Amino acid sequence: MAHMIIGGKTCQAVSGETLEVRSPVDGQVFEHIPRGQAADIDLAVRAARAALSSDWGKLNASERGRLMMKLSHLVTEHGEELALLEAKDTGKPMTTARNDMIVLARYFEFYGGAADKVHGEVIPFLNGYQVNLLREPLGVTAHIIPWNYPAQMMGRSIAPALAMGNAVVVKPAEDACMSCLRIAELALEAGFPAGALNIVSGLGEEAGAALSNHPDINFISFTGSNEVGVLIQQAAARHAVKCTLELGGKSPHVVFEDANLELAAATVVRGIIQNTGQTCTAGSRLLVQQSIHDKFVALVAEKFKQVRVGTPEMNLDCGPVVNPTQQQRVNRFIEQAKAAGLPVLAQGQIDPGVPAGGYYVMPTFFGNVPADNALAQQEVFGPVLAAMPFTDEAQGIALANGTEFGLLAAVWTENGGRQQRVAKALKCGQV
Ligand code: NAI
Ligand code: MG
C-alpha cells in the first residue's frame, strides 16, 4: 500500500480509506493509495506552515540548493524504478517514461542551481533613503498535478517553489500519482526537513478542492482542465492569493508552401502522438497551404500509418490512454467525425498483443476538417489529428487563431520574414 507524507512522516488517510489504482495497460488494480480528504489537507497545510518557522525556514539559499541537487541525484539513481512505476501507472512507453525522469532530475538540478542566484535590488529613491527589494518566499504553496506527466509536472511545479524557500503541499492526480508519492519519499531521503514537502493523495473534488480552498495557503499552481482551472481561480480569489494555471490547447501547425516538408511531416506526427496525444501542447491541428496541401497531407498520412500502439514494454509510439473516461472521450470524437463524413486519411495500428481490458485507442488522422467542427475547436487529448487547407498567410493566421485556446503554435516556412510576421500574429503563449 502506498502512503502519503505529511510533516516528514509517512502516513495513511485520517479516515483510513483508500482508492484503487488501475493500470491503463490492462485495466487491472495494482495498488491502493490513501484517499486523503479535508482533514488530511489541513494537517499537511499546518505541517507546511510550521516548517516555515522551523528547520526548513532557517536554511539559507545555498543549503536549499544543495538539498535539491541531492534530490536530483537520487531521482537519477532511481530513474529506472521511477520510469517503471510511471509506465505502469500511465501506460506510457518506457522510452517516454525514462525521458520524463531525466527531465524531472533536471528540474531539481536547474532550480537547485538557481536557489542562491535570485537576488533583490536596490532602488533609487529620495535623498537619504534606500529602497531594498527582497525576494521572499510566498509561504505555503499548493500544487495540483495532472496525470499526463505526473513526475515531470510535480518537478516543474515544486522545484521553483522549494528553491525559493516555500513549503509545499502537493495533491497529485488520482489517475496517476505513484511516481509523485515516491518522489516525496526520495525528498525525505535527500534530507529535506519535516514539512518542507507534503503530499496528500486523493480525489480532485475532495483533496484537491480542500487544498485550493484552504484559508492558510498563499499560492496555487494548477495544471489540468479548463473547468477545474476556473474553480481554482475562484478559490484563489476568495482568499486573495495568486495562482498560475496551465490549461488546455488546440495547437496548430501552420505549414507554408516553402517549408521543409520532410522535417515538418515527421514533427507533425510526433507532436500529436507523443504521450498518446495527452499533452496540453499537442499539435492537434494541421493547417496546410493549398498549393502543397495534397502532397504534404499524403506525406503525413504515410508516416501516420506507421504509428504503433502497445504496452510500455513493447515500447512503441503510443501507449493506452489514462482511463476509461479518456478512452470514451477520444472514441466519441473519432465516431462523431466519421459520422459527419470527415475523411480518414490514415490510422495507426494497435498491436494485437495488447492485453484485453487496457484503454487503447486508434490514432486517427482526419482531412478537410471544417474550421467550426468539434475536431477543429475542442481539445481531444488523444492521438487525433485534424487537417485543413488555407490559401494565403492572412487566412492561415486567421484559422490558427480561430479557437478559444492559445497555448502553442508552430510555423513551417524557410522565409525568415514570414517566420517573424506569422509568429507575431499568432495569439498564443509560445511559437
Ligand atoms: P482535471 O482538471 O479534473 O484534473 C487535473 C487535476 O485537478 C487532478 O489532480 C485532479 O485531482 C484535480 N482536480 C479535479 N477536480 C478538482 C477540483 N474540483 N478542485 C481541485 N482540484 C481538482 O482533469 P481530468 O478530468 O482528469 O481531464 C479532463 C480533461 O482535462 C482532459 O481530457 C484534458 O482535455 C484536460 N487536461 C489537461 C491537462 C494539461 O496538461 N493541460 C492535464 C489533464 C487534463
Ligand atoms: Mg476532472
Side-chain angles (χ1 to χ4, degrees):
M1 158 101 77
H3 44 249
M4 318 192 289
I5 292 178
I6 297 177
K9 295 199 170 60
T10 59
C11 59
Q12 293 300 316
V14 171
S15 70
E17 287 182 49
T18 60
L19 298 167
E20 291 180 334
V21 183
R22 283 175 196 277
S23 174
V25 176
D26 54 12
Q28 297 297 310
V29 176
F30 73 97
E31 246 304 357
H32 289 80
I33 52 167
R35 180 177 182 168
Q37 287 169 295
D40 307 276
I41 290 291
D42 193 50
L43 289 173
V45 173
R46 283 168 196 271
R49 181 63 62 197
L52 291 168
S53 50
S54 70
D55 291 351
W56 174 239
K58 290 182 185 132
L59 290 186
N60 64 44
S62 56
E63 289 166 328
R64 291 198 304 267
R66 238 172 280 140
L67 278 178
M68 294 185 62
M69 290 297 183
K70 199 150 171 208
L71 179 52
S72 174
H73 292 312
L74 280 175
V75 165
T76 304
E77 268 171 42
H78 292 266
E80 189 64 13
E81 174 207 334
L82 285 166
L84 280 164
L85 203 54
E86 192 83 312
K88 180 142 204 170
D89 210 7
T90 62
K92 62 180 76 191
M94 277 307 292
T95 300
T96 316
R98 287 191 182 107
N99 192 53
D100 285 5
M101 299 314 149
I102 293 171
V103 177
L104 171 67
R106 275 175 46 204
Y107 278 127
F108 291 123
E109 184 184 35
F110 177 88
Y111 287 105
D116 58 358
K117 295 171 196 68
V118 178
H119 305 145
E121 284 175 64
V122 177
I123 301 170
F125 194 52
L126 304 175
N127 285 338
Y129 290 82
Q130 176 172 297
V131 176
N132 296 329
L133 187 149
L134 304 180
R135 300 283 176 191
E136 301 278 355
L138 290 159
V140 176
T141 58
H143 304 261
I144 299 177
I145 312 296
W147 42 259
N148 49 350
Y149 297 86
Q152 253 201 63
M153 291 297 100
M154 174 164 157
R156 188 184 73 174
S157 192
I158 68 170
L162 290 169
M164 296 314 298
N166 298 283
V168 312
V169 179
V170 180
K171 208 302 281 176
E174 55 270 44
D175 285 301
C177 67
M178 298 306 302
S179 62
C180 297
L181 295 171
R182 185 68 184 117
I183 293 161
E185 271 180 358
L186 291 176
L188 271 191
E189 198 180 321
F192 276 85
L197 166 48
N198 308 277
I199 186 163
V200 177
S201 51
L203 300 173
E205 56 273 29
E206 295 179 356
L211 178 57
S212 52
N213 286 290
H214 198 288
D216 199 30
I217 58 169
N218 304 104
F219 175 82
I220 313 173
S221 155
F222 172 81
T223 304
S225 63
N226 289 18
E227 268 176 317
V228 178
V230 170
L231 297 177
I232 298 294
Q233 214 162 16
Q234 288 169 340
R238 272 194 294 276
H239 298 296
V241 300
K242 288 202 273 192
C243 64
T244 54
L245 307 175
E246 179 164 335
L247 309 177
K250 192 74 207 178
S251 301
H253 286 273
V254 190
V255 185
F256 288 95
E257 58 194 1
D258 67 330
N260 176 338
L261 299 187
E262 202 34 64
L263 178 63
T267 310
V268 163
V269 174
R270 221 173 51 227
I272 187 62
I273 65 165
Q274 178 184 313
N275 214 40
T276 318
Q278 302 168 115
T279 303
C280 55
T281 52
S284 52
R285 288 188 297 149
L286 178 57
L287 315 185
V288 187
Q289 194 159 21
Q290 193 73 64
S291 50
I292 53 153
H293 176 270
D294 293 357
K295 179 178 163 198
F296 183 68
V297 158
L299 193 58
V300 172
E302 197 183 292
K303 295 187 192 300
F304 202 96
K305 282 183 192 137
Q306 314 295 317
V307 173
R308 294 290 175 273
V309 183
T311 65
E313 298 73 38
M314 291 174 184
N315 211 12
L316 304 174
D317 307 297
C318 295
V321 294
V322 76
N323 60 27
T325 311
Q326 277 302 126
Q327 187 185 29
Q328 284 152 20
R329 176 191 174 104
V330 175
N331 286 337
R332 193 185 63 231
F333 273 103
I334 293 174
E335 290 319 317
Q336 284 175 355
K338 284 182 180 167
L342 300 186
V344 173
L345 302 181
Q347 286 195 312
Q349 256 182 48
I350 301 176
D351 190 285
V354 300
Y359 314 136
Y360 300 90
V361 298
M362 183 62 83
T364 308
F365 177 25
F366 287 98
N368 280 318
V369 177
D372 60 354
N373 187 275
L375 262 198
Q377 290 294 329
Q378 294 171 25
E379 182 172 54
V380 178
F381 228 55
V384 182
L385 179 63
M388 64 197 79
F390 69 86
T391 49
D392 57 8
E393 203 173 293
Q395 201 200 9
I397 292 167
L399 280 174
N401 286 339
T403 74
E404 65 167 355
F405 297 102
L407 197 54
L408 187 93
V411 186
W412 292 92
T413 170
E414 296 293 300
N415 178 323
R418 178 178 271 163
Q419 288 169 356
Q420 299 295 324
R421 231 173 18 247
V422 177
K424 184 128 178 58
L426 292 174
K427 303 253 178 291
C428 64
Q430 304 168 53
V431 183

